[in-house]
Amino acid sequence: MKKSTKQSSAKAREQADASQLGSSEGMLQMLVEQLKEYAIILLDKDGRVLTWNAAAERLKGWKAQEIIGQHFSRFYPPEDNEKGKTEMELKQALEKGRFEDEGWRMRKDGTRFWANVIITTLRDEQGNLRGFGKITRDLSDRRQAEDKIKRQAQEILEMATVPVVQVWEGIVLVPIIGTLDSQRTQQLMERLLQRVTETSSPVALLDITGVPAVDSQTAQHLIETVSAVRLLGADVIITGIRPPIAQTLVHLGIDLNNVTTRSSLTAGLRMALSMVDKNVVVKA
Amino acid sequence: MNPDNISVIKVRDLLMVTMPPDPDDPTISALQEKVLNSMEKYEAKGVVLDISAVETLDSFFARTVSETAQMVTLMGGRTIISGMQPAVAVAATEIGLTLGNVETALNVDRALDMVNKPKPGTSHD
Amino acid sequence: MTETLQGEMAIKTEGDIVLVRRTTREVSSQTGFGITDVTRIVTASSEMARNIFKYAGEGVMRWQRIQRGDRVGVEFQFEDHGPGIADVQLAMQEGYTTGEGLGMGLPGAKRLVDELEVKSVVGKGTTITLRKWLKNLK
């Protein structure tokens, strides 16, 4: 890897200093170079990159000669730069001696990674500000693990809010509790269709006893769900149509004539049983 | 993809067609020809179109199937689509794709049962 | 990470519509979308490619991984130098099928994705951009 003359003279200077101070500086430099997980760099007083290490190149994508001299706002996403985040971070580091943060950083190619960042102020013996040290650690793995847990938790939550239960061979039941907005309808459709296919159930009972109110939107969502189930080759019985809901549906002019409906879950179950299992005799 | 990929098989007095996962346009067009010719040749009661492997159902596919079903009806038969994948059903419903004269079944077994228990006039919208 | 973050492909023949489906499926899955969302994206893309082939004869599809804030998503752009759409407003309204599935059109595609942009100049061409975002985790 060719180094620019600017960097090789800077390095030569550093090495010269190191040999003067003794081998500990040189060893420290070796340590910085060898640490793979920590991007350790130096910034000047104004936040421009002075030094670079191998981990920094690996993590952020920039080669040393490309980035030295540039301002460290290059590593931040545009929306952070608009807010002046880098100025704020340096200011905090100056006031408190150090600044620590977890957030999104940006690589040379524009992709982002979740990072833990520490910025420390570096002063000489007289107390003059020489620059800043910046240590960046890639937390992508940890964040990915966290995201995975969140996703699983969300799935469990979804299962709880849209439970699809197989109540008989060939019959699945979805007791819908609460309002049915667009997002929930999507969840409902996906889970219901999945279960119907998995269990090869020709009948799905949608019980809306727990749905407080049915407006045109909700009715539309229900009709859509029924259409989707029918494409699979199964059918739907909507149960739980209490008097107030029946009134609302008629007053709104919503036509559910295409869909079998019953007032109680029991009545729906009775009908479903007759559809799937001729051997079961249900006493009225 | 070779349109000869699709075979139309006679099962009892029905035609069975199994669609591949991502049929191209020529394959879908060939389907119509093959089905109608076989309907005539075998005097079949209908067609069972197994789409359990199909991953995308776009407008061309839907239109061709719908047209074919109409033609099959004119020839005195029924058309049953079996095994639609859940994700496909969701997308199809959301864009309002309709299959016209086509009946649906959860799987091929049930489709075959359906034809032997005549239930006229139950085509889904 | 060996995932491709962007790309481009020509739409010249009927056979390319299948390639569009394959590509959009792969890119969407790699981005992290579940099977249902992948199917939505692929279906919408198939229609856009089909439109290009039908009205313009040929065109290009470009795709890229996109980010806005901490949201990650995918963008597919369909560009052609065809006749263009005279009345975009009208095109976005008509074609919502209640009868036979006769051609899905733009309103249908709009339902399947999060963002749909249409830029069209009569006589010059059309560019349609589809975007879908991964659901934010709470």
Side-chain angles (χ1 to χ4, degrees), chain B residues 11-12 14 16 48 107-116:
Chain B
V11 175
R12 294 185 232 158
L14 275 181
M16 265 271 299
V48 174
N107 50 50
V108 171
D109 261 337
R110 290 183 194 265
L112 293 175
D113 284 342
M114 267 169 79
V115 179
N116 290 324

Side-chain angles (χ1 to χ4, degrees), chain A residues 98-131:
Chain A
R98 96 188 217 131
F99 167 83
E100 186 169 351
D101 183 37
E102 258 190 38
W104 291 106
R105 296 294 181 272
M106 211 166 77
R107 294 194 186 92
K108 179 183 172 188
D109 65 3
T111 57
R112 294 169 188 225
F113 61 98
W114 190 257
N116 173 270
V117 173
I118 299 174
I119 300 179
T120 59
T121 4
L122 302 170
R123 297 180 187 276
D124 61 18
E125 290 96 30
Q126 286 85 35
N128 300 320
L129 177 66
R130 292 290 302 277

Side-chain angles (χ1 to χ4, degrees), chain A residues 181-227:
Chain A
D181 60 17
S182 299
Q183 197 187 358
R184 247 177 119 215
T185 305
Q186 260 187 28
Q187 285 170 8
L188 165 65
M189 269 209 290
E190 289 176 33
R191 293 237 340 119
L192 176 56
L193 296 183
Q194 189 64 43
R195 287 291 277 161
V196 164
T197 303
E198 278 170 15
T199 59
S200 290
S201 299
V203 183
L205 289 162
L206 281 189
D207 184 63
I208 61 172
T209 311
V211 178
V214 176
D215 56 8
S216 306
Q217 279 267 10
T218 313
Q220 199 49 45
H221 291 145
L222 286 172
I223 293 171
E224 212 173 67
T225 305
V226 173
S227 296

Side-chain angles (χ1 to χ4, degrees), chain C residues 1-95:
Chain C
M1 277 199 298
T2 49
E3 307 160 357
T4 40
L5 295 171
Q6 63 184 55
E8 182 175 310
M9 63 171 279
I11 300 172
K12 280 197 190 143
T13 66
E14 258 179 339
D16 290 331
I17 300 179
V18 180
L19 284 181
V20 163
R21 291 204 286 265
R22 229 172 268 170
T23 307
T24 52
R25 184 172 294 276
E26 210 176 284
V27 171
S28 308
S29 302
Q30 272 181 4
T31 307
F33 287 100
I35 179 68
T36 312
D37 276 338
V38 167
T39 307
R40 288 183 174 113
I41 295 168
V42 173
T43 308
S45 301
S46 186
E47 294 302 325
M48 296 300 105
R50 197 175 283 291
N51 281 347
I52 286 184
F53 187 70
K54 189 156 81 172
Y55 298 112
E58 64 177 78
V60 165
M61 174 179 83
R62 296 187 189 91
W63 72 91
Q64 55 172 332
R65 183 87 57 89
I66 49 178
Q67 275 173 312
R68 199 182 281 164
D70 63 351
R71 297 198 81 185
V72 169
V74 79
E75 175 183 286
F76 295 97
Q77 196 178 71
F78 298 85
E79 182 184 305
D80 67 61
H81 297 295
I85 303 173
D87 192 338
V88 174
Q89 291 266 56
L90 189 65
M92 292 298 287
Q93 275 174 15
E94 51 123 351

